[in-house]
Amino acid sequence: MTEFDDALRLTPTDTPGAYGVDLSGDWTIGGGINGGLLLSVMGNALSQTLGAGGHPDPFSISAYYLAPGRPGPATVETALVRKGGSVSVGSASLVQRDADGNPVEAIRVLATFTDLDRTPTDSDVRLTPPELPPLDKCVRASDAPPAVLKEADLLQRSDLRLDPATAMWAVGQPSGRGMIQGWWRFADGREADALSLLFACDVLPPVSMDLGKLGWAPTIEFTVHVLGKPASGWLRIKHFTEHVAAGHFVEDCEVWDSEDRLVAQSRQLARLPRPLG
Amino acid sequence: MTEFDDALRLTPTDTPGAYGVDLSGDWTIGGGINGGLLLSVMGNALSQTLGAGGHPDPFSISAYYLAPGRPGPATVETALVRKGGSVSVGSASLVQRDADGNPVEAIRVLATFTDLDRTPTDSDVRLTPPELPPLDKCVRASDAPPAVLKEADLLQRSDLRLDPATAMWAVGQPSGRGMIQGWWRFADGREADALSLLFACDVLPPVSMDLGKLGWAPTIEFTVHVLGKPASGWLRIKHFTEHVAAGHFVEDCEVWDSEDRLVAQSRQLARLPRPLG
């Protein structure tokens, strides 16, 4: 079993639509579970619930983050909201227990699922794939300083190669453009599928880094549209922001597959990191 | 009372967090209630529920559309999901009764509310306001053919002036660009506020019209970010699409106020209209 499939493994419970999951410390960033990994867990649970009606694939999923996800056991409760002919809508919630045994909801989700093998394949995309240097000219995230890697177990699950022109913030020279892009695949060679695109849309460092705002950028809202199943091979991912306002920033993400198809697009509203120290 | 406030008027019920509303036929398009008006109704109910905790203004709201809203009575059920220091998260659902008295849920929402008077005002926006011809050189939506106006009571609630270069689809000459922009305000002169931005983000015709795809484009998912309260006066609204895929299109929207501030940004995933006839 691959690392990603292991992280997403669900166990049945006595409650219909509710699943147990053991959140692994292998996917943390700064002590909390990565938001894209949490979203993939929710997507996997919804795929069980909505897949029974013929709609196993995420099409649109919107997440509201409530509290950091912590390593340890959690329960994902899902519900079918509406079953339609070509899509179904569902809701999901991930709950953990605090030290006193009180429930803490970490994330709440609404989603539309479909069967991506049955959707029309015609497309008219005016966006173009990111232009990236070849893999061997990019910066490996695994070459980050040990202090960074220690805070980001997540990085070791990915083979992430950043375009050096968009990674200068890592050496104290943010470009100010608010754009980070690179090549990505799972470190253990697992091929990407529809579900892992939910993870891919949140796997790059926050673009606030390239604005010179270092630190954790808590997500308020995160919506992913999955436009197709990716072809095998490396994905190219581009994160960018076009506005910072009201103490927050909007981060757009595009994921392109090896056949130059835009396979996922996402937008998140996140809080700007507060100045350090 | 203005037309918009009248449409949003809530009546208390015996259930905490639940409100009655009478959906007016004055806000229909093709027989269904406009999605942005429905979202404003949900926003108004959430403003009651979350405003009690000091967070009366929409900041991010994500709607999943389940069935067309119909003129007549409806109930909006809201719940506080999490109360925080600077934001609160809530959920809402709008339910009507069918001819047999069975409940039909029309829309389900997750949202983060805040107090927009207390958010930081610094901004760094790389987008620029749409360039529009002066008001008297634009096309009044109220000059549409009577057959169109008959199907769109909604248009009479707005004073909408479209940039002629982006309105040629109305005379059978879509540009193919997938962009529609114009000036907007309420027809009765009511000033826009944070809540009415939820309506403004869905008030222009779908951009699929400018792709030559006529007909109703049902919304799957619609997320609005409200970045600030608008200054008084006309708003400028721009709708555009950058991709059509999987039988659907993504519609982006920007709303700019009279002081050149980006006050709202939205994205929706909608189904392409099926060919007519």
Side-chain angles (χ1 to χ4, degrees):
Chain A
M1 182 172 272
T2 70
E3 292 179 325
F4 185 66
D5 294 292
D6 192 46
L8 264 53
R9 195 174 46 204
L10 303 172
T11 52
T13 70
D14 293 336
T15 309
Y19 307 90
V21 62
D22 190 25
L23 298 177
S24 161
D26 288 349
W27 300 81
T28 55
I29 171 88
I33 309 285
N34 166 261
L37 194 276
L38 287 177
L39 193 63
S40 303
V41 168
M42 310 293 273
N44 193 31
L46 283 164
S47 182
Q48 309 298 313
T49 301
L50 305 179
H55 302 135
D57 302 315
F59 189 35
S60 175
I61 185 163
S62 299
Y64 281 70
Y65 290 86
L66 307 167
R70 301 296 181 195
T75 303
V76 184
E77 295 169 10
T78 66
L80 172 66
V81 173
R82 179 177 175 272
K83 180 172 170 3
S86 58
V87 297
S88 290
V89 176
S91 64
S93 166
L94 186 141
V95 178
Q96 298 191 284
R97 297 274 167 185
D98 68 13
D100 299 323
N102 299 313
V104 179
E105 186 174 359
I107 172 173
R108 179 83 65 102
V109 157
L110 285 174
T112 298
F113 273 56
T114 190
D115 180 347
L116 286 173
D117 290 331
R118 296 169 63 103
T119 54
T121 54
D122 57 315
S123 71
D124 174 9
V125 176
R126 285 91 190 271
L127 303 167
T128 51
E131 292 187 22
L132 295 175
L135 282 163
D136 61 1
K137 297 276 192 281
C138 286
V139 180
R140 289 174 188 261
S142 56
D143 288 342
V148 171
L149 291 176
K150 183 160 174 278
E151 286 298 304
D153 291 282
L154 175 72
L155 288 180
Q156 301 179 45
R157 309 281 84 73
S158 288
D159 190 350
L160 176 60
R161 317 279 183 102
L162 295 180
D163 177 352
T166 69
M168 296 298 285
W169 49 269
V171 289
Q173 298 174 32
S175 79
R177 260 189 313 172
M179 201 263 276
I180 299 177
Q181 60 184 18
W183 301 91
W184 175 82
R185 64 178 180 186
F186 283 114
D188 63 6
R190 180 198 195 275
E191 291 285 353
D193 55 9
L195 211 51
S196 50
L197 294 176
L198 306 183
F199 177 66
C201 282
D202 197 43
V203 75
L204 262 55
V207 290
S208 43
M209 297 283 193
D210 193 42
L211 299 174
K213 311 268 190 186
L214 303 184
W216 184 50
T219 301
I220 301 287
E221 181 270 335
F222 182 32
T223 293
V224 181
H225 296 154
V226 176
L227 305 168
K229 293 184 175 179
S232 71
W234 289 87
L235 297 176
R236 284 158 294 170
I237 307 178
K238 177 182 169 185
H239 265 194
F240 58 101
T241 186
E242 290 180 313
H243 70 80
V244 176
H248 291 69
F249 66 102
V250 165
E251 180 173 271
D252 284 307
C253 179
E254 298 168 11
V255 182
W256 296 79
D257 77 2
S258 59
E259 294 177 357
D260 281 352
R261 289 167 61 236
L262 179 65
V263 288
Q265 192 177 29
S266 74
R267 172 171 287 173
Q268 64 175 281
L269 179 67
R271 203 180 71 207
L272 280 173
R274 304 219 161 112
L276 298 174
Chain B
M1 183 173 272
T2 70
E3 292 180 324
F4 185 67
D5 294 292
D6 192 47
L8 264 54
R9 195 174 46 202
L10 303 172
T11 53
T13 71
D14 293 337
T15 309
Y19 308 90
V21 62
D22 190 26
L23 298 177
S24 161
D26 288 347
W27 299 82
T28 56
I29 171 88
I33 307 285
N34 166 261
L37 194 276
L38 287 178
L39 193 63
S40 303
V41 168
M42 310 292 274
N44 193 32
L46 282 164
S47 182
Q48 307 298 314
T49 301
L50 305 179
H55 302 135
D57 301 315
F59 189 34
S60 174
I61 185 163
S62 299
Y64 281 69
Y65 290 86
L66 307 167
R70 301 298 183 194
T75 303
V76 184
E77 294 170 10
T78 66
L80 172 67
V81 174
R82 177 176 176 273
K83 179 170 168 8
S86 59
V87 297
S88 290
V89 177
S91 64
S93 165
L94 186 141
V95 177
Q96 298 190 284
R97 297 275 167 182
D98 68 13
D100 299 323
N102 298 313
V104 178
E105 186 174 359
I107 172 174
R108 179 83 66 102
V109 157
L110 285 174
T112 298
F113 272 56
T114 191
D115 180 347
L116 287 174
D117 290 331
R118 295 169 63 103
T119 55
T121 54
D122 56 316
S123 71
D124 174 9
V125 177
R126 285 90 190 273
L127 303 166
T128 50
E131 293 189 20
L132 296 175
L135 282 163
D136 61 1
K137 297 277 193 277
C138 286
V139 180
R140 287 174 188 260
S142 55
D143 288 341
V148 171
L149 289 178
K150 184 161 173 279
E151 286 298 302
D153 290 282
L154 175 73
L155 288 181
Q156 301 178 45
R157 308 280 86 72
S158 288
D159 189 351
L160 175 59
R161 317 280 182 101
L162 295 179
D163 177 351
T166 69
M168 296 298 286
W169 49 269
V171 290
Q173 298 174 33
S175 78
R177 261 190 312 173
M179 200 263 276
I180 300 177
Q181 61 184 18
W183 302 91
W184 175 82
R185 64 177 181 186
F186 284 114
D188 63 6
R190 181 198 193 275
E191 291 286 353
D193 55 9
L195 211 52
S196 49
L197 294 176
L198 307 182
F199 177 67
C201 282
D202 197 45
V203 75
L204 261 54
V207 289
S208 43
M209 298 283 193
D210 194 43
L211 299 174
K213 311 269 189 188
L214 302 184
W216 185 49
T219 301
I220 302 288
E221 180 270 334
F222 182 31
T223 294
V224 181
H225 297 154
V226 176
L227 305 168
K229 294 184 176 180
S232 70
W234 289 87
L235 297 176
R236 283 158 294 169
I237 308 178
K238 177 182 167 186
H239 265 193
F240 58 101
T241 185
E242 291 181 312
H243 72 80
V244 176
H248 291 69
F249 66 101
V250 165
E251 179 173 272
D252 284 306
C253 179
E254 297 168 11
V255 182
W256 296 79
D257 77 1
S258 59
E259 295 177 356
D260 281 352
R261 289 167 60 234
L262 179 65
V263 287
Q265 191 178 29
S266 73
R267 172 171 287 173
Q268 63 175 281
L269 180 66
R271 204 179 71 208
L272 280 173
R274 304 215 162 116
L276 297 174

